[in-house]
Amino acid sequence: MSSLLERYEEIVGTEVIHQLRQLAEPLKGVRTVHVNSTREGGGVAEILHRLVPLKQELGIHASWEVIEGNAAFYKCTKRMHNAFQGTPVEIPPGLLENYETINEENAGKLRPALQDSDLVFIHDPQPAGLLRYFSERKGKWIWRCHIDASRPHRPVWKYLKRFVRGYDASIWSLAEFAQPLPHPMYVIAPSIDPISEKNADVSAEEIQDTYSRWNLDPKRPIITQVSRFDRFKDPVGVIQAYRMVRGFIPVQLVLAGGGATDDPEGGEVLEEVKLAAGDDPDIHILELPPDAHREINAIQRVSTIILQKSTREGFGLTVTEAMWKGKPVIGGDTGGIRLQVINHHTGFRVNSPEGAALRIRYLLKNRDKLREMGHKARQFALENFLITRHLREYLTLMLAIMY
Ligand code: UDP
């Protein structure tokens, strides 16, 4: 059985793997821990599932801890998330008190894992409050923000800033997202794992099964958006775009999504989506369990075009996942989608359902262009958004912070 790293060699080349080993050499034995708020669902969990074992394989003492909260906690942190993305939400003092209490409780539970760690990576707002309970900490603490916080709702940012300003450094997905903080700030774009169940090649048989399993017609174009049911992902806008195309071309629409344990709004948004879809037999709303990685992989592969019509997006792993599968992406002109969808090259960026519909129709009518964009998308993902690049940047940052 080859090592994990060796399996990437075929994709990214020997040099890249060699460089990772070299960079990791001085970090051997370093104790590092990542902390987030869910083991399944959403982009952060997706990344940690691979990043942590890879660090381990490089000789770093890496681990991953997940904080536990109650319903009120996730309600509060979802509001924080929405506020970071610009929604003017108020968070009642009771919810904030609960946020702090939950962080305090988790600090107690996680003390053995975090206290003596050399580097602690705290992901997003949920566990950001842990730091204040580690006044005797030995290592460096880094806050990793995955959210588009370029225009946050000020009162909520002001509240969270009290916690995050104390970190030794912070990491953001795009430079534009970074808020002024009194510590070094780094920019690292997220990534996908090309050998995971979500992204590895799929057999022709499995592809065939996918059509029948979800009742999809292989002869007609399939437009897909894979996302948690979240308003910022604009699933209803996707349905509107589909309807504008449907009058001209007999497309099918797939909205595939599940929940994340730290996202309490999913059920409500799903109901809105079902209402918007009505009884159209060509709209397929697939509610998938959090471990449906192979299914999502195959769905992305049977799709003609992938949409990610978000109105705010930290990065949008789903965009890279689609690009890696050679699909052009029509994405909302926002946040991390701008890094990935190079307008007119790897896909199109749009600002409305009308814009999305126009681009879908264009690509379906110009199949050569669709294929060309798909090739470029795959190449762009290969060069920029694979986990090996991500890991290299983490290692470089760890070296910069530790030495
Ligand atoms: N995802 C999934 N099941 C779903 C919906 C999404 O496994 O039902 C995955 C998706 O393939 C991607 C990640 O969750 O890997 C979502 O990351 P992204 O950055 O696109 O959005 P986030 O949910 O973090 O806002």
Side-chain angles (χ1 to χ4, degrees), residues 42-43 46 198 226-228 233 257-258 293 296 313 316-318 321:
E46 193 81 18
K198 179 73 62 59
V226 174
S227 271
R228 288 181 294 108
K233 311 277 184 187
H293 303 299
I296 289 180
E313 191 60 79
L317 288 182
T318 50
E321 287 162 9

Side-chain angles (χ1 to χ4, degrees), residues 237-265:
V238 170
I239 293 177
Q240 288 166 352
Y242 153 83
R243 291 232 159 88
M244 289 177 216
V245 176
R246 189 77 170 92
F248 302 91
I249 305 170
V251 283
Q252 307 161 81
L253 175 66
V254 175
L255 287 167
T261 49
D262 60 351
D263 179 357
E265 283 177 8

Side-chain angles (χ1 to χ4, degrees), residues 121 144-146 171-175 186-191 315 339 389-395 397:
F121 291 95
R144 201 311 178 205
C145 181
H146 295 264
I171 309 175
W172 308 78
S173 296
L174 262 77
Y186 298 85
V187 175
I188 301 183
S191 64
F315 183 70
L339 272 188
R389 187 272 311 154
H390 198 174
L391 180 58
R392 185 189 71 222
E393 292 185 342
Y394 256 107
L395 296 175
L397 176 142

